[in-house]
Amino acid sequence: MSKRNICISAPGKIILAGEHAVVYGYPAIAAAIEKRTYVTLSCGENYANFVKLLIEILPQTPIAQIKDKIQKISQNTITAEFCSELPIGCGIGSSASFAAALSAALFLLQHSTLNTEKVNELAYSFEKTQHGNPSGVDNAVAVFGGFLRFQKISEQQKKFSFLKTKIHFPSMFLLNTGKPIETTKEMVGLVQKRFQHSKQNIERIFNEIAQVVAQVERILLTQHQLDQFALLLQSNEMLLEELGVVGDRAQSMIRNIEKIGGIAKICGAGGVTKGSGVALVMHKDPEKLVEFTKKHNIKLEAIELGSEGVRLEKMRAD
Ligand code: MEV
């Protein structure tokens, strides 16, 4: 088998509505963002002998060890390079975009063509090693891209549909409330504890989140009522605060944005001790936001939603 060099990228994500509840079988809506992780695999002669083994072993390997493991298993026939535009562990799907890009690269080496359903299954197995009990929404949006309505019916059955929205969103921004100390796994565990202790109350919160999700979906599909859309994201933020996954620091930043007429919502697992990760921010008058964040020395980044999923960036065979 000749040498091969491939580079695949996959996007990060934000969850518009439904995080945490989605772990319990409720629906969520997520969107891919144009901030990507790039995985390059450089393969020498006879690389194909090792790909099957890599696909078997790598999903059980913690991310930090994957690069070395690839070289070790392939006896230095395959080397890997990773780079990402996503901040790590901040709730915008850095691990899922890595899992999606690596899964697609391995799959392509094995089959010479991409089957996104299978790539998604493989990416999910990477995510399970990282996060314990993930819903699978992050890897699904990293693989398929766009806007996705996702629901985990059971471990084996995940239902997702593309929301073909033509909505033209007003300016949207990302604001980092600080890297959470807690991992996604720990945050999911914290919610699980609350669920066990006060099931009724947490189920009520999840049901309210599900209502928000249903309305967000309707707006995305009908392209109306953008004001309403912002209010829905704000309601979801309040429900996440009630769930206990947004720390004081993020809450105070979000209240300040509300004071100047904007809305903000965290978009991943959150965090309580310090930061709560990246928040999505909207304002009818983006200038006000820019002014506010400049004054308080807060970094604000404009973002487009609905990016492409896994993408072959480069492939070379000698
Ligand atoms: C993480 O991006 C979203 C959570 O809902 C966990 C998951 O869905 O696996 C908190």
Side-chain angles (χ1 to χ4, degrees):
M1 184 74 63
S2 59
K3 292 179 185 173
R4 192 162 279 221
N5 194 309
I6 61 175
C7 175
I8 300 252
S9 73
K13 67 91 209 344
I14 55 155
I15 296 186
L16 289 171
E19 56 268 76
H20 284 290
V22 69
V23 175
Y24 295 76
Y26 294 84
I29 294 178
I33 56 174
E34 198 48 27
K35 271 178 166 289
R36 309 182 75 86
T37 299
Y38 296 80
V39 168
T40 304
L41 298 180
S42 308
C43 313
E45 306 275 350
N46 299 326
Y47 69 84
N49 296 344
F50 304 105
V51 177
K52 190 163 174 279
L53 200 55
L54 287 174
I55 288 178
E56 270 165 32
I57 295 177
L58 292 182
Q60 284 86 52
T61 310
I63 287 186
Q65 296 166 21
I66 283 183
K67 206 172 176 171
D68 289 347
K69 206 73 176 235
I70 291 177
Q71 262 182 259
K72 200 168 164 202
I73 293 173
S74 73
Q75 298 166 16
N76 293 324
T77 304
I78 305 177
T79 52
E81 285 304 325
F82 312 136
C83 77
S84 187
E85 296 159 353
L86 293 152
I88 292 171
C90 287
I92 50 173
S94 60
S95 74
S97 74
F98 171 71
L102 180 58
S103 300
L106 291 168
F107 196 89
L108 201 54
L109 285 184
Q110 193 175 39
H111 300 280
S112 306
T113 172
L114 274 183
N115 172 333
T116 43
E117 298 277 340
K118 297 261 186 248
V119 168
N120 188 39
E121 278 170 28
L122 186 57
Y124 181 58
S125 49
F126 277 93
E127 282 286 271
K128 281 204 280 192
T129 301
Q130 301 309 316
H131 303 308
N133 177 31
S135 63
V137 62
D138 290 8
N139 52 275
V141 76
V143 171
F144 298 107
F147 290 81
L148 216 60
R149 180 197 191 274
F150 177 95
Q151 194 165 9
K152 180 179 186 175
I153 308 293
S154 68
E155 186 58 27
Q156 285 73 34
Q157 199 195 349
K158 284 137 198 131
K159 204 166 101 183
F160 43 81
S161 48
F162 296 101
L163 301 176
K164 291 210 166 61
T165 181
K166 294 220 167 49
I167 223 164
H168 180 70
F169 287 100
S171 312
M172 288 206 176
F173 300 90
L174 296 182
L175 175 158
N176 200 338
T177 70
K179 186 175 161 104
I181 286 187
E182 301 83 358
T183 61
T184 295
K185 192 174 181 170
E186 285 164 346
M187 290 309 293
V188 169
L190 188 131
V191 172
Q192 192 188 13
K193 267 198 198 126
R194 302 224 159 115
F195 185 80
Q196 282 157 356
H197 285 120
S198 54
K199 192 163 182 251
Q200 240 184 349
N201 190 35
I202 301 298
E203 274 183 345
R204 178 200 45 88
I205 296 175
F206 286 165
N207 278 312
E208 287 184 34
I209 290 177
Q211 283 171 28
V212 171
V213 169
Q215 292 180 67
V216 167
E217 181 181 2
R218 192 176 50 76
I219 289 176
L220 285 175
L221 294 174
T222 56
Q223 309 175 30
H224 293 307
Q225 300 168 309
L226 273 174
D227 286 357
Q228 183 67 12
F229 180 79
L231 290 177
L232 286 166
L233 296 201
Q234 191 180 27
S235 304
N236 199 143
E237 168 60 30
M238 298 314 291
L239 289 162
L240 288 170
E241 289 179 18
E242 205 183 336
L243 194 59
V245 296
V246 189
D248 291 345
R249 177 172 164 181
Q251 285 193 33
S252 119
M253 285 169 102
I254 291 169
R255 292 299 89 78
N256 284 335
I257 285 169
E258 288 168 354
K259 273 186 203 143
I260 59 153
I263 71 103
K265 172 196 169 289
I266 63 153
C267 25
V272 282
T273 316
K274 278 203 166 169
S276 306
V278 170
L280 179 69
V281 187
M282 292 170 74
H283 197 297
K284 268 191 185 155
D285 180 358
E287 274 308 307
K288 284 218 168 93
L289 261 184
V290 174
E291 215 174 276
F292 170 82
T293 46
K294 255 192 194 154
K295 192 169 149 199
H296 292 87
N297 213 6
I298 300 170
K299 195 174 152 220
L300 198 65
E301 231 178 314
I303 195 82
E304 297 269 336
L305 303 186
S307 298
E308 197 182 346
V310 284
R311 184 161 77 205
L312 176 62
E313 300 286 345
K314 201 172 67 187
M315 177 147 80
R316 216 187 62 217
D318 302 325

